[in-house]
Amino acid sequence: MTKYNWCHNPDCHKIETQSRIRGTGDNKVLRTVKIKVGRYNWNNDNTRNIWDYFCNQRCLFEFLNKFCTEIANTYSVKQPSETPIKVKTEKYESHRYKYNNGNYERIPYQATRRIIENSS
Ligand SMILES: [Zn+2]
C-alpha cells in the first residue's frame, strides 16, 4: 500500500509554484506538497529517508531554520564524541607556485600528510 506524508515545512503552502495550486474556479489555494513515501528509495528496502518528510531542500532548510533550537534541545550534544583511530604520518613530494614577473614558478617541497588507517 502506498503511503503518503505531507511536507513537514509549516510554510510549504506559502511557496508560490504551479504544482501547489489546488481548487476550482475562484477558490484556488496553494497547498502543502503531498509526498509519496519511498519516492527516492531505489533499493525498495524500507530505509528511512529525509525526502519522505520534505518535498525539497528549500522546505527542509526552512524547517531546520525555524526549529533549530528545538532540534538542538531535543537531540542535544553536551560534549564531543571521539572515535579511536590509528594515524600514520607520511612524507611526500609536493609543490607550490611562486608568482614572478608574470610567470608562475613551480617550487617543489617535502610535505607531510597524516593518513587515518583502517581501524576495523
Ligand atoms: Zn514542502
Side-chain angles (χ1 to χ4, degrees):
M1 196 182 87
T2 308
K3 195 182 160 214
Y4 291 91
N5 285 334
W6 296 106
C7 177
H8 278 54
N9 175 13
D11 295 325
C12 183
H13 68 284
K14 294 176 183 168
I15 300 167
E16 295 181 10
T17 63
Q18 300 280 314
S19 62
R20 287 177 172 83
I21 298 172
R22 294 290 184 277
T24 56
D26 291 334
N27 298 315
K28 297 273 196 262
V29 295
L30 291 167
R31 183 181 289 166
T32 301
V33 170
K34 188 179 183 181
I35 299 163
K36 185 180 173 187
V37 172
R39 63 188 170 145
Y40 294 134
N41 180 4
W42 312 121
N43 296 326
N44 291 317
D45 60 0
N46 290 326
T47 50
R48 289 186 294 176
N49 191 298
I50 193 69
W51 306 119
D52 290 341
Y53 302 95
F54 296 93
C55 65
N56 58 29
Q57 288 195 46
R58 175 177 175 176
C59 276
L60 171 60
F61 280 94
E62 281 185 10
F63 175 90
L64 291 173
N65 279 321
K66 188 164 191 167
F67 296 111
C68 58
T69 307
E70 287 89 337
I71 293 166
N73 289 339
T74 304
Y75 303 99
S76 66
V77 177
K78 303 263 190 251
Q79 58 190 31
S81 300
E82 295 179 346
T83 302
I85 55 167
K86 298 240 184 303
V87 176
K88 186 174 77 180
T89 305
E90 186 178 272
K91 293 195 181 307
Y92 67 100
E93 286 297 319
S94 187
H95 60 271
R96 63 175 65 95
Y97 288 96
K98 184 180 176 186
Y99 186 73
N100 189 7
N101 284 334
N103 292 310
Y104 286 97
E105 184 185 354
R106 184 183 162 111
I107 301 171
Y109 72 100
Q110 178 130 98
T112 305
R113 67 177 151 225
R114 295 190 294 176
I115 298 165
I116 298 171
E117 295 183 317
N118 209 338
S119 54
S120 57

